Amino acid sequence: MLNKLKNATLLVTGGAGFMGSNFIRHLLDNEQFKGKIINLDLLTYAGNLDNLSGYDEDSRYHFVHGDIQNGELLSSIQEEHNIEIIVHFAAQTHVDKSIQSPRTFLETNILGTQSLLEFVRANPQIKFHLISTDEVYGSLPKEGQFFEDSPYRPRSPYSASKASADHLAMAYHETYDLFITISHASNNYGLCQYPEKFIPLMILNCIEEKPLPVYGKGDNVRDWMYVQDHSVALISILEKGVNGEVYNIASNEEISNLDMLHLLIERFCEITSNDPAKYIKLITFVPDRPGHDFRYSLNTDKMQKQLGFKATRSLKEGIDLTINWYLNNLDWVERVKNKTYYDWVNQQYTTVDMD
Ligand code: NAD
Ligand code: DAU
């Protein structure tokens, strides 16, 4: 049920990426939404207009190709559209890539966010929501949880850049009295995710019968959330979130990477009527990610108690939807594979011994 958002004009940054495009489709699919969405995206290797195909003709949707660091572009968007809310997804998002080449993470995630905050400073009626990550809190052992006020202990260039963006956002909130909220999400998965990330990479490598590279022993734990649940959570924050507050979003579906891979293989084989033994043989243990965070786990009581949000999609349901989507969208996969970064992701493992 939409209320404040019903007629709002939103600037969604990074809306051609995985989570941003799922959020835009989720809102446009809601017939109550009579407002406007401006999607500002630079279309890096991870941005893909295919993710919004079929929505291009919707008069509530406008795409602008450009960089969040371009202040003049932001001002011209404001002149034309009179933005009321910014939902800031745009970022460099792959941890391994941040370990290889950190600089662009600092430019996009820190300076890009600061450029948007300057824009809000010049237009202080705009509400700003920053999509952040559980990774800013660092790594947990087998026990324990992160709360919204847990200390920041980022351990990769990616998470350090996201932590910096969070600090800047809250500094602008305090210093310039701007309306700012932040959400920290756990690992999302679902349709249209670029196959550098664990779940789509494993699904596509199963389809192509390629090695399934597991870092270290595969005992690192992630809490996986179906991306549509994230969009629902976000709507509740945009509707009811309190100025200056931070919200944790997760589904409490923790699982080790190796167990997740076995579940993916089991579901893939059930769906495609294949023998799991063939895919289990493809599991390849590769050198661990440097500084690999062991476990993330978010306490989500605040979202549940204050905003009434609880994730509803089970892991098995979400995985089945995701596998089916990739199997039914092999043309999307082919186009994405033409982007060079995908080759780099797989080439890393071509020299690794399969035994
Ligand atoms: P993604 O990599 O799929 O998409 C990022 C998008 O940002 C792409 O469309 C890209 O073209 C765009 N972009 C990059 N630099 C830009 C720039 N300078 N100007 C404009 N657009 C630019 O990312 P995602 O996985 O959808 O993540 C979205 C946000 O959610 C990020 O801020 C990320 O840190 C955060 N997050 C992601 C996850 C996850 O599991 N994927 C979990 C928690 C938080
Ligand atoms: O927790 C939220 C974060 O989740 C987001 O902020 C990031 O943007 C997003 O990329 C994701 O980070 P992770 O590093 O957790 O996701 P990734 O899919 O890269 O890896 C998930 C786990 O699987 C992690 O423990 C590393 C491992 N892994 C990953 C890849 C790509 C493998 O074992 N093999 C692989 O090939």
Side-chain angles (χ1 to χ4, degrees):
M1 176 82 174
L2 294 184
N3 183 15
K4 285 188 199 159
L5 279 185
K6 210 186 247 172
N7 296 305
T9 300
L10 288 84
L11 175 65
V12 176
T13 70
F18 163 54
M19 287 165 69
S21 63
N22 274 284
F23 173 72
I24 291 176
R25 290 196 308 273
H26 181 75
L27 198 49
L28 292 176
D29 286 344
N30 187 332
E31 285 172 6
Q32 287 177 15
F33 180 66
K34 309 281 182 220
K36 206 162 46 159
I37 296 175
I38 319 303
N39 172 14
L40 171 62
D41 199 295
L42 188 58
L43 299 180
T44 66
Y45 75 93
N48 186 349
L49 287 180
D50 283 355
N51 297 350
L52 288 154
S53 69
Y55 291 82
D56 334 41
E57 302 298 313
D58 191 319
S59 59
R60 298 169 299 166
Y61 172 71
H62 303 260
F63 175 70
V64 178
H65 183 208
D67 194 328
I68 51 170
Q69 295 184 68
N70 184 341
E72 279 176 25
L73 178 62
L74 293 172
S75 300
S76 72
I77 291 174
Q78 182 61 2
E79 255 173 50
E80 190 176 343
H81 296 288
N82 197 15
I83 302 298
E84 294 165 292
I85 299 170
I86 296 178
V87 190
H88 177 32
F89 288 92
Q92 287 283 338
T93 62
H94 190 36
V95 174
D96 295 325
K97 188 165 178 266
S98 84
I99 294 168
Q100 291 270 326
S101 30
R103 178 111 196 160
T104 170
F105 284 74
L106 310 193
E107 287 161 359
T108 304
N109 301 357
I110 305 176
L111 294 177
T113 302
Q114 195 257 348
S115 146
L116 289 165
L117 289 166
E118 274 300 303
F119 170 63
V120 178
R121 188 180 159 204
N123 298 276
Q125 73 284 5
I126 296 177
K127 294 180 177 175
F128 183 82
H129 182 75
L130 172 59
I131 314 288
S132 187
T133 171
D134 54 7
E135 300 199 10
V136 298
Y137 300 122
S139 177
L140 282 169
K142 283 196 173 131
E143 301 296 321
Q145 280 199 311
F146 292 128
F147 291 78
E148 279 82 356
D149 59 357
S150 292
Y152 275 42
R153 293 202 177 94
R155 301 174 71 247
S156 73
Y158 163 71
S159 52
S161 69
K162 293 293 291 183
S164 306
D166 289 7
H167 289 319
L168 276 171
M170 279 308 156
Y172 270 65
H173 162 72
E174 295 292 347
T175 309
Y176 304 113
D177 197 21
L178 304 177
F179 188 106
I180 290 177
T181 46
I182 298 179
S183 52
H184 296 125
S186 68
N187 287 63
N188 275 233
Y189 69 96
L191 42 131
C192 300
Q193 186 168 29
Y194 187 80
E196 64 192 348
K197 307 283 163 60
F198 186 80
I199 288 184
L201 180 73
M202 296 303 168
I203 295 172
L204 294 196
N205 285 11
C206 279
I207 294 173
E208 296 178 6
E209 299 180 15
K210 282 186 183 162
L212 305 170
V214 174
Y215 298 168
K217 295 188 186 130
D219 52 4
N220 301 65
V221 174
R222 295 294 182 265
D223 177 2
W224 295 98
M225 175 175 226
Y226 190 62
V227 66
Q228 199 177 0
D229 274 335
H230 180 265
S231 300
V232 174
L234 199 48
I235 301 266
S236 71
I237 296 173
L238 297 174
E239 285 283 358
K240 296 179 274 184
V242 175
N243 188 12
E245 290 293 319
V246 174
Y247 299 93
N248 286 346
I249 309 176
S251 58
N252 312 113
E253 290 268 21
E254 287 183 43
I255 185 168
S256 75
N257 293 338
L258 194 55
D259 287 347
M260 181 54 146
L261 184 50
H262 279 282
L263 176 66
L264 279 168
I265 291 172
E266 180 202 307
R267 298 312 309 154
F268 180 82
C269 290
E270 175 81 24
I271 291 167
T272 58
S273 305
N274 268 301
D275 176 9
K278 182 168 124 192
Y279 297 90
I280 288 169
K281 277 195 209 135
L282 292 173
I283 296 178
T284 307
F285 292 95
V286 301
D288 211 350
R289 171 185 281 172
H292 196 172
D293 288 341
F294 178 68
R295 172 172 167 258
Y296 309 125
S297 178
L298 294 176
N299 179 290
T300 52
D301 288 354
K302 184 172 177 179
M303 277 298 286
Q304 200 171 339
K305 288 185 186 145
Q306 296 187 11
L307 304 187
F309 169 80
K310 191 166 170 25
T312 56
R313 192 75 73 182
S314 75
L315 198 51
K316 181 177 160 296
E317 255 182 306
I319 290 298
D320 281 5
L321 285 168
T322 307
I323 292 173
N324 275 311
W325 186 83
Y326 281 94
L327 285 168
N328 293 327
N329 287 278
L330 292 174
D331 51 340
W332 181 95
V333 171
E334 278 314 309
R335 284 196 292 277
V336 159
K337 276 165 54 183
N338 288 334
K339 301 200 175 194
T340 51
Y341 187 64
Y342 173 80
D343 296 335
W344 178 84
V345 171
N346 264 311
Q347 268 160 21
Q348 285 192 100
Y349 311 115
T350 50
T351 54
V352 173
D353 193 346
M354 293 268 298
D355 293 328

